[in-house]
Amino acid sequence: MAIDNSAAPIGYPETASDKGLKGGALGLVSSVVVGMASTAPAYSLAASLGFIVASGGAILAGVKAPAIILLAFIPMYFIAVAYAELNKAEPDCGTTFTWAARAFGSWIGWMGGWGIIAADVIVMANLAQIAGSYSYTFAGDLGISGADALADSTFWSTVAGVIWIAVMTYICYRGIEVSARLQYGLLGIEVVILVIFAVVALFKVYTGTAEDYSLTPSLSWFWPGGLSLGDVVAPAILTAVFIYWGWDTAVTTNEEADDPATTPGRAAVISTVLLLATYALITVATVAFAGVGTEGVGLGNEENASDVFAAIGPDLFGDSFLGKVGLLLLSASILTSASASTQTTILPTARTALSMGAYKALPMSFTKIHPRFLTPTTATVAMGVVSTVFYVLFTLVSSNLLGALIGSVGLMIAFYYGLTGFACVWFYRKTLTKTPRDLFMRGVLPFLGGTMLFAAFVYALKNYAAPDWITDDNGDNVTIFGFGAVAVVGVLAMLLGLVLMLVWRVMSPDYFTPGEPLGRRGHHDLVLLTAAATEESGTAARLPDSGLPDIVIAPDLSNLPEGMTAVDPETGEEFRKSD
């Protein structure tokens, strides 16, 4: 499908989309790389696997951790399908914001966009902290004297984290192609090192040179039989969902893809499948080598939970020269993972803000595009600045609160992913029964994905509110207002979004006016025929990119401009006032 460049802003190259972004910059492979890099596979596993296996010193999933990884994949895959189907109809970089507004109205759409922004800003603090700390760890592994000590310093880790945010913000500012090329290298290093880690671990297990408490892998590890749904499966899946989050960046960059309607959706689905394969391999290898006990490097040991790779690395690779190289590579994988995800977290936030600005849901300044780099300037810089302020503020208040951020991000993820699933069902509601494929891919799977994630949201909020849900290094409860800090951070983030929406409603009511500029519609509605439907492409036109006025045409053609044509996107039938 050819890209419709006819709507590029005046003064911008013809390769620009209607918002000014660089169209055709990303192919399928590039989009998959961006989607996978956004999940930070190495860091996500290092920070989450221990809590999936055990919690508070008590075994949770244990050897069934691979089953939890598989179960958490199911709602992620269902939502990826919803993203792909919605993107076919309207490839807009606002994704959930745009689609939810189309399906449910401007208020819900605004909160969907806020969910994306809030999740990305919150997680940036954690990513920056990891990138900053591991910068010194990596330097120490290289033999730089005194670097290891700085890794444990809150001040110096924060300084390095802020620098990482600034660097990655600048790279995002310079262009999507520069960002994609960097991701090739960072993700490549990360995946290769993870595979080396898994191969070495499994080799030692099967050759009998691993630990005394190491385990032999079994297919039963992939079946959750025997695990309590409420006490084990649900909380473990809530943790596991976090490690899959981020693939939607591949869809957020849809207006910069070579085929905006299909490439991003395919990339999202492929990314989730590749992540499942990667996570399954690493989880099996880690559980097999370390075991699930509380002794040594066992995954049931509380001291190993926050970073399982750092705990296992020395025992896995040993003290030889090759062992030290292995440890160096392992540190490099976490560093590249966190830094890569820092960059790819900025990308979707900036583009969501750009789309919200284009639809007047945010100030118009967020629509500013660099004339040469074709990137959102104000939105990108704003993301970097806000993330830095949030990171420093939370660090100053209490470094223990950084641990609460992961859970609160999970609440945001469940909210806007689940909302996207329901938006897909409602958007296509009048055409779901046209074919069995439409019913399954546009109805059943998105609805199940949305239901699972909304149920996870409610369950998580209830549990996260417990005062003893998270404790600090001294065993004291980490609370805010007497409630668990995880729940409070998540609720306050949502309430802040609600307040900001109400304030913006008073300051600029245009976006909230029914039908303008982002009115509700469904897949069955007539749309304005553009240059995307020419004699070469026939009438199978994709919907125009957002920003064009009067996309949705009333059934009586009352808002159809003179001399223009409306088209039914499902049948291709054209309508004119003269008819």
Side-chain angles (χ1 to χ4, degrees), residues 196-573:
I196 291 174
F197 174 90
V199 169
V200 172
L202 291 174
F203 175 81
K204 288 197 170 186
V205 168
Y206 282 108
T207 57
T209 57
E211 304 295 335
D212 295 337
Y213 43 80
S214 295
L215 306 170
T216 302
S218 169
L219 285 176
S220 64
W221 291 3
F222 288 94
W223 180 249
L227 297 180
S228 168
L229 177 62
D231 297 331
V232 177
V233 176
I237 286 181
L238 286 173
T239 303
V241 162
F242 172 76
I243 71 177
Y244 283 103
W245 174 54
W247 50 261
D248 51 305
T249 300
V251 187
T252 309
T253 55
N254 48 20
E255 295 189 38
E256 293 149 288
D258 54 1
D259 186 346
T262 58
T263 294
R266 291 173 182 171
V269 174
I270 292 173
S271 295
T272 56
V273 174
L274 291 178
L275 286 169
L276 172 64
T278 303
Y279 290 155
L281 171 64
I282 305 304
T283 300
V284 168
T286 304
V287 171
F289 180 83
V292 296
T294 57
E295 60 178 308
V297 298
L299 298 180
N301 189 336
E302 285 187 87
E303 296 181 357
N304 302 332
S306 61
D307 191 340
V308 296
F309 292 156
I312 295 172
D315 280 24
L316 178 64
F317 293 113
D319 296 327
S320 65
F321 173 76
L322 289 178
K324 292 180 179 179
V325 172
L327 286 174
L328 179 64
L329 293 176
L330 196 58
S331 296
S333 72
I334 304 296
L335 176 59
T336 57
S337 179
S339 59
S341 190
T342 300
Q343 178 196 346
T344 49
T345 299
I346 296 171
L347 290 175
T349 316
R351 281 147 185 79
T352 299
L354 167 66
S355 182
M356 293 180 75
Y359 283 120
K360 302 179 182 179
L362 286 178
M364 289 296 293
S365 58
F366 284 99
T367 64
K368 185 177 180 180
I369 298 291
H370 196 285
R372 182 158 62 93
F373 302 141
L374 301 182
T375 56
T377 54
T378 302
T380 299
V381 173
M383 172 58 181
V385 172
V386 172
S387 297
T388 300
V389 172
F390 184 83
Y391 171 39
V392 173
L393 178 62
F394 259 66
T395 303
L396 290 175
V397 173
S398 172
S399 59
N400 291 321
L401 286 177
L402 291 176
L405 297 180
I406 295 298
S408 62
V409 168
L411 293 174
M412 300 297 106
I413 298 169
F415 169 71
Y416 84 82
Y417 272 4
L419 180 60
T420 306
F422 292 134
C424 182
V425 178
W426 192 251
F427 184 84
Y428 286 109
R429 65 191 182 280
K430 293 190 177 181
T431 59
L432 286 178
T433 57
K434 183 178 180 182
T435 67
R437 188 263 178 202
D438 287 349
L439 177 63
F440 192 67
M441 300 296 282
R442 295 176 175 178
V444 176
L445 295 189
F447 179 78
L448 289 176
T451 301
M452 290 178 185
L453 289 173
F454 267 46
F457 178 91
V458 174
Y459 181 89
L461 191 60
K462 175 179 177 294
N463 284 272
Y464 290 165
D468 59 348
W469 178 261
I470 185 172
T471 58
D472 59 22
D473 296 336
N474 298 321
D476 298 324
N477 296 338
V478 180
T479 62
I480 301 176
F481 308 133
F483 296 95
V486 176
V488 175
V489 171
V491 171
L492 288 179
M494 295 297 293
L495 290 177
L496 176 61
L498 181 61
V499 170
L500 292 176
M501 179 177 68
L502 293 175
V503 170
W504 185 247
R505 169 68 177 80
V506 174
M507 294 176 60
S508 180
D510 290 350
Y511 164 74
F512 300 94
T513 302
E516 295 290 341
L518 187 58
R520 295 187 189 184
R521 68 167 174 76
H523 184 242
H524 61 286
D525 290 324
L526 299 179
V527 296
L528 188 65
L529 186 65
T530 70
T534 61
E535 293 183 359
E536 289 89 7
S537 63
T539 57
R542 68 176 176 86
L543 298 184
D545 287 337
S546 63
L548 298 178
D550 293 326
I551 295 177
V552 184
I553 304 302
D556 62 0
L557 307 183
S558 58
N559 64 332
L560 180 65
E562 291 295 334
M564 298 298 290
T565 302
V567 62
D568 184 328
E570 187 68 26
T571 65
E573 184 179 1

